[in-house]
Amino acid sequence: MGLLYQAIPESLIMQIGDVDSAKVLWDAIKTRYIGEDRVKESRLQTLNTELDQMKMMESETIDTYAGNLSGIASKSTTLGEVIDKSKLVKKFLNTLPRLKFIHIIASLEQLLDLKFVGFEDVVGRLKAYKERIRK
């Protein structure tokens, strides 16, 4: 029991109170953390839904939209689920406004292996394209 008490935070010790055996202590610790796992799983589900529903608006900049996607990926990683970089790249390219970016999207899909290209690389190429057509 002493080892269990040493391994848990002091705040949790105060919540558990007096217990008679290591088994009862272990069950109390487990009960506290099952709730955390469920909350974490719920947050991950919410982030995945948010990611699935994301689409770049016409008024949004590439930086803003890429930042939003990166933010969701970072939150997901913090919760223990890493979003594959190729999934993020494909999501980014598939949710850009088609009329504005169809030429560069088609070129990138033809020239690059989207499984291995970095998210930042694709964002940088799109920003360069946007500046080029603006001039």
Side-chain angles (χ1 to χ4, degrees):
M1 282 182 53
L3 291 173
L4 287 174
Y5 276 120
Q6 288 178 347
I8 61 176
E10 189 176 333
S11 60
L12 185 58
I13 294 171
M14 299 302 209
Q15 294 173 8
I16 292 174
D18 267 348
V19 293
D20 304 4
S21 69
K23 172 72 172 135
V24 174
L25 178 59
W26 181 254
D27 289 342
I29 293 169
K30 195 163 77 171
T31 301
R32 297 275 182 201
Y33 284 104
I34 285 175
E36 277 189 27
D37 287 343
R38 289 184 181 146
V39 168
K40 185 168 94 171
E41 192 62 38
S42 175
R43 287 182 184 157
L44 279 170
Q45 187 64 35
T46 301
L47 286 174
N48 285 332
T49 302
E50 192 177 330
L51 181 65
D52 290 342
Q53 294 176 350
M54 281 188 79
K55 190 170 180 125
M56 184 175 165
M57 299 294 136
E58 289 286 334
S59 60
E60 206 169 9
T61 66
I62 291 173
D63 279 333
T64 304
Y65 184 61
N68 292 340
L69 282 174
S70 293
I72 288 177
S74 294
K75 288 176 188 174
S76 181
T77 301
T78 302
L79 292 171
E81 185 176 302
V82 177
I83 296 176
D84 188 43
K85 69 177 182 177
S86 66
K87 179 181 177 182
L88 203 57
V89 167
K90 289 174 186 175
K91 175 67 179 177
F92 181 68
L93 292 176
N94 289 333
T95 56
L96 292 171
R98 283 299 211 206
L99 293 176
K100 273 183 167 178
F101 297 105
I102 189 65
H103 301 296
I104 188 67
I105 292 170
S107 297
L108 290 174
E109 289 174 345
Q110 293 298 316
L111 296 174
L112 300 175
D113 188 352
L114 297 182
K115 292 178 187 172
F116 301 109
V117 70
F119 179 70
E120 294 81 15
D121 184 28
V122 171
V123 171
R125 289 172 189 252
L126 275 159
K127 286 171 57 177
Y129 170 77
K130 184 83 171 157
E131 286 180 23
R132 179 86 172 172
I133 62 170
R134 201 175 322 157
K135 293 178 181 178

